[in-house]
Amino acid sequence: MSPPSAIEPTSNGDSSKPSNIAPQEPGLNEVDAKIKMPNFGKPPKFDDPYKERAYLKGRLAAAFRIFGKYGFDEGVAGHITMRDPVDPTTFWVNPFGVAFSLIKASDLILVNEEGEVIDGGPCRLLNSAAYMIHSAIHQARPDVNAAAHSHSIYGRSFCSLGRKLDTITQDSCAFHNDHVLYESFNGIVLAEEEGKNIARALGNNKAALLQNHGLLTCGQTIEETVFWFVSLEKCCHAQLLADAAAAGRGGETVKIGETEAQFTHRAVGSPLAGWFSAKPLFDLIHKETNGDYLE
């Protein structure tokens, strides 16, 4: 999809000549500044849940390839789940011990509410922590169709500080009043109650900072969930750098005002904005892998 073109007036007053200047670039006149942003589409809809399942399994496999590309793997830790459109009480997840960068749609496993693997690829090992956390979230949040957690380096570093993210950049506005700090750490999440506590703390937010653990994001789509995770990881990285630089100068970072943060959150923090923002990530991984994750 090409960016919208502004209109560049000609010397004779003709405003029909197209220009490659993007409407959001500075220095535009008042008329050009009022050009509306394009309708960039919405997630596909299906009339057959089995066709939707096949499509979403491909997207979930691509999500793991993206996580692998960004280095979000740490041994066998980390998981992304997708609610099954055929039976919404179940979800698809990665098999325990299979590298993110190797996962294909045919490798994914289907798990029910009792933690039983009822379908999927040849390796049907289930990460118990994945089940405990994600099952609780999917049951508590009917709006959540995907959830992601891994031990990314900057996320887990920031989660050791015991604080929420500051709103210091435009990107962090997506998480303004839309993420929580889960302050408890009781080791690997193997208990049902711990999973429920995380889901309860998450509430209606899109993300959680699990203290001494790592990041967790969720959304209506796989794409949205993946983008929130990638963006939150980068926001943690940015704040770690900014806080260190500010402290070195004997000061602190400049925070975005509440009104401006709320306004920006509405623009960049919606489910649709998250879904569309992930498009380049999925396009690139498809190109780089020649689509072999779809097998």
Side-chain angles (χ1 to χ4, degrees), residues 88-166:
T89 66
T90 64
F91 60 82
W92 294 88
V93 67
N94 50 308
F96 199 28
V98 177
F100 288 174
S101 296
L102 296 178
I103 287 180
K104 299 179 179 181
S106 57
D107 292 319
L108 301 170
I109 57 176
L110 184 63
V111 182
N112 64 19
E113 289 184 343
E114 288 70 45
E116 300 168 333
V117 178
I118 57 176
D119 197 0
C123 175
R124 297 195 174 187
L125 291 177
L126 173 63
N127 183 330
S128 297
Y131 165 70
M132 292 302 177
I133 296 174
H134 291 257
S135 178
I137 292 172
H138 283 293
Q139 290 184 50
R141 294 276 301 274
D143 62 307
V144 166
N145 290 314
H149 166 68
S150 86
H151 300 172
S152 54
I153 186 65
Y154 298 109
R156 71 191 190 202
S157 297
F158 191 85
C159 287
S160 70
L161 302 179
R163 56 177 296 187
K164 291 172 63 178
L165 196 69
D166 289 333

Side-chain angles (χ1 to χ4, degrees), residues 159-163 181-185 209-214:
C159 287
S160 70
L161 302 179
R163 56 177 296 187
L181 171 65
Y182 180 68
E183 298 182 79
S184 175
F185 178 75
L209 306 177
L210 309 181
Q211 188 167 290
N212 304 114
H213 192 169

Side-chain angles (χ1 to χ4, degrees), residues 46 49-59 82 85 105 294:
F46 296 83
Y50 288 93
K51 290 181 179 178
E52 183 176 10
R53 170 193 277 178
Y55 171 79
L56 292 178
K57 286 179 66 179
R59 300 304 273 179
M82 174 199 83
L294 294 170

Side-chain angles (χ1 to χ4, degrees), residues 3 11 20 49 54 67 86 89 104-105 137 157 171 190 204 220 230 253:
S11 57
N20 61 3
F67 268 39
V86 177
T89 66
K104 299 179 179 181
I137 292 172
S157 297
D171 304 285
L190 300 178
N204 292 320
Q220 297 176 13
V230 172
T253 57

Side-chain angles (χ1 to χ4, degrees), residues 8 12 19 68 77 80 107 129 131 147 176 188 205 208 218 243 271:
E8 180 182 289
N12 61 5
S19 167
I80 311 173
D107 292 319
Y131 165 70
H176 184 73
I188 301 173
N205 297 281
C218 61
D243 281 348

